[in-house]
Amino acid sequence: MMKSIWMLVIAVLVLNGARTEGDSEPCAKIHTSSSVVPLGSPVTATCNIREDCLVGLGQAVDIEWRLGSELILSSPAANESNRVSRVVLSSFNYTRAALICCIRASSQVVAGVEIRAGYPPKTPQNLSCQTNLTYPDTLNCIWDTGQQDTHLPTKYTLHTEMRDSHENHTYELPPEINHYSIPRTDFGLFSDMNIYVKAKNDLGEATSAHIVLEPVSAAKFDQPIIAKIDVQPKRLGCLKLTWSLSKQQSWIRYLAVNLEVRLKTAGSDQWSDPPIPFSQVKLSKPVVECCRLFHGTRYLAQIRVRYKQSPWSEWSSSKSGVTLETAPTGRLDSWMKVSRNHTSKKLNIQLFWKPSKLFRANGQNLSYVVSQQKSYGERWRMCSTIETRCSFQLSGRVRKVYLSAVNSAGKSLPTEIRVYQPKAHMAIMDVTAVPHDERSFLVQWTTEVISDLIGYVVEWKPLLKTDLSHIHFETVNKSQSSLIITGSFEPYKPYGISVYPRFKDGIGSPQTVNAYLRQKAPSVVPKIQIKKTWESDIEISWDEIPLEQRNGFIKGYKVFYWDENGPIKVVSADAEERRVILTDLNTVSLYEACMMVSTFGGSLNGSTIYFKIKPFDAVTVVVSVTGVGVGLAMLIIFTVLICFSKDKKLKGHFWPVVPDPANSSIKRWSSESTQFTHPSCDEEPNLICLSHLSFLDLTTKLSKEEDDIWLNSSEDTSDLGESICGSPFMPSYSGSNSESVPYATVLLSSSCNGPISDEPHVYLRSESTQPLLETEGSFTPKCYQNAAIDGMPREQCFFGPCDNYNPEIKEDPPIVWDDFPFLRALAMNEIESD
């Protein structure tokens, strides 16, 4: 196209120069049928060269034609001078091109003409006009020019004719413009107008269809305003709406307009469809009444208006109102979960409910009451709540509970709910849950053929929220085997979905499956821990990923490890197994390892750890194992020899025979029982043998206060305890009821080196919860007595009480000191002290 235009420019310049001196006419002219032709139509052109322009060129001149840069064949006209040439183009397929006449010998351009091609204009379509009543008032018209391009400049004109005044107006528009705003001075609001559009180019013109309208009937009103919504007294289910137009349009008070109202309940996303229509509503009384609404329900309302067939205004802002309340109607869908309480032998009840399709709250502040029927006709309230769930306990004999909805106007008829005992029968064989769309799951299940099966309960809840308020349910009949559950499901969060079979006499055991709406890679990767090492192997383990950070089902784990020069090796582990063993490791290389955890929505790599296997010293291990084995064998042999040895001295060093003072007296101790545990009186006392014989050097006589200190002291004094002299007769003494074993300690009232005191010796009793000999049988002290010492009262000679013992008063027998080695040691100590 550009090349043909340049050829035309060159032709014009040549023609301007190819003129005789003093002559203003060009040397050649081209005559065509038309410079603008329909696209694809034939074109005929004739080139005529003036005779005086051929001077110097000779009489025999060959003329050629070019269309742009293309050479075309010509058909010369029959004449004597050969100054005329004609060309015929069967189809002109260019929208714009230059046709040039040239002299063949010198390629000199002698004439040229531009030819344009296109289509005649299309008839304008969809002419419409709308009146704007906002200052300044205008009548805005718009139309469609058509999809086809004419390739030619097209002008549009808008024509209006006033029928009453016969006043006509024509508005010329710039090319390709298809809209215009008629000023308020050129039309009347209540006068009919005839309006049409013309389109014109070089190939023709076209006129649109005429429309006749009254400008006010084409006016689009501003957004109306709902002033208030009132409740009609004694008009159940009705609301009265008072509305108005904007202040700029308040002058149209005498008109009657059409109005539509749309409503929706509070919390709903769907407006009523279709809207409620109202015809011929007078602007002087802008009040409409909407009835047949739910009782005690809050509604949001919007309105729009128009005059006759004018465009609808925009919807107004929302305004809310509440209808009059009545008692709730309809039943509630319920779901009861029952479990046995083995401690109280009662039933634990979790009751959930939701409104059925026929339930109507008919009020705002709704609450629920669960009650139990008593034998005398009254009902006992189990719980009252504003929630849609309740937990309580029932006796196993209760078979029914009743659920009612309550508002300020009354109570609904009770919904009877049967209390079934839980059944262990599992009718559900398999459950699957897959995402259905961005907000729902498709749950499918299979079941056994059971005669008393009446339906199913599908329950779902988020696993990361344990509150009962997040539990939802749906009850379906037995013919269904799938259900689409919809709710506020979140992606990457786990949900538990259970299907319970419902029987005529109870609820069976459920089948539960977990599901994700969408999955992605986990949020964290667990840390790798080295658990065990061997000669060339190592065991790696890791902790389980918390549920809230999994973002999907864990598909598996992969551990990648490599040394400095070796290739990367991979070990895989299932989702349930959180350990792998890396084998064939080199003890001289430093290894790196990292783990990748994958879900069905993506994978995540963890951090890298470094480890090295220490060399394994076989000689050291063998020596260590051998030494431990030999030591253990020697210990076993030594223990066996001691146990089966008949040498009593050898046994005495490991297991000394210690008499039990609670079950024997000093007088009855035989020499055989003490020959290996106690030395003779001539020998220095052995500390081990005399561990229960204490000598206390008291510089002064114990007063009553000091004696109380010994008796009442809570400090640990080894074998010193409270005085035994009067303990059998004290009220606080427990006697044989105590679990402790009494021991005695002799107290000397003088020092070891001092003179022998004539006062009787004092015994201190100590009690221990550890008997000296476990083979002695019962730990309860038996009745026994010691030989009385001169001057000691009889009641001080008892270690424990005896129910059947009555002391007899008789003369004490003479003391044989050889029978009492411990007392003999005391006597020797006193003699040495003297």
Side-chain angles (χ1 to χ4, degrees), residues 226-229 263 271 299-302 316-321:
I226 299 178
K228 59 180 178 178
I229 298 180
L263 301 165
W271 292 98
Y299 283 92
L300 297 177
Q302 292 180 346
S316 69
S317 300
S318 299
K319 198 81 172 180
S320 65

Side-chain angles (χ1 to χ4, degrees), residues 16 224 243 395 424 627 773:
N16 290 335
W243 61 279
S395 171
L773 293 178

Side-chain angles (χ1 to χ4, degrees), residues 1 39 92-97 114-118 150-152:
M1 180 67 69
L39 191 64
F92 190 83
N93 295 321
Y94 298 92
T95 59
R96 187 175 185 179
E114 181 185 27
I115 300 176
R116 301 188 64 183
T150 63
H151 305 293
L152 298 173

Side-chain angles (χ1 to χ4, degrees), residues 700-713 723 730 759:
T700 59
K701 181 179 179 181
L702 292 174
S703 64
K704 186 177 184 305
E705 293 78 4
E706 293 170 341
D707 186 53
D708 290 341
I709 295 175
W710 285 97
L711 294 176
N712 300 327
S713 175
S723 175
M730 295 173 62
E759 296 181 1

Side-chain angles (χ1 to χ4, degrees), residues 49 105 118 143 166 251 266 531 543 572 699 701 715 768:
I49 301 176
W143 58 91
H166 301 286
W251 54 271
K531 191 173 182 180
D543 295 331
S572 300
T699 55
K701 181 179 179 181
E715 184 181 357
S768 172

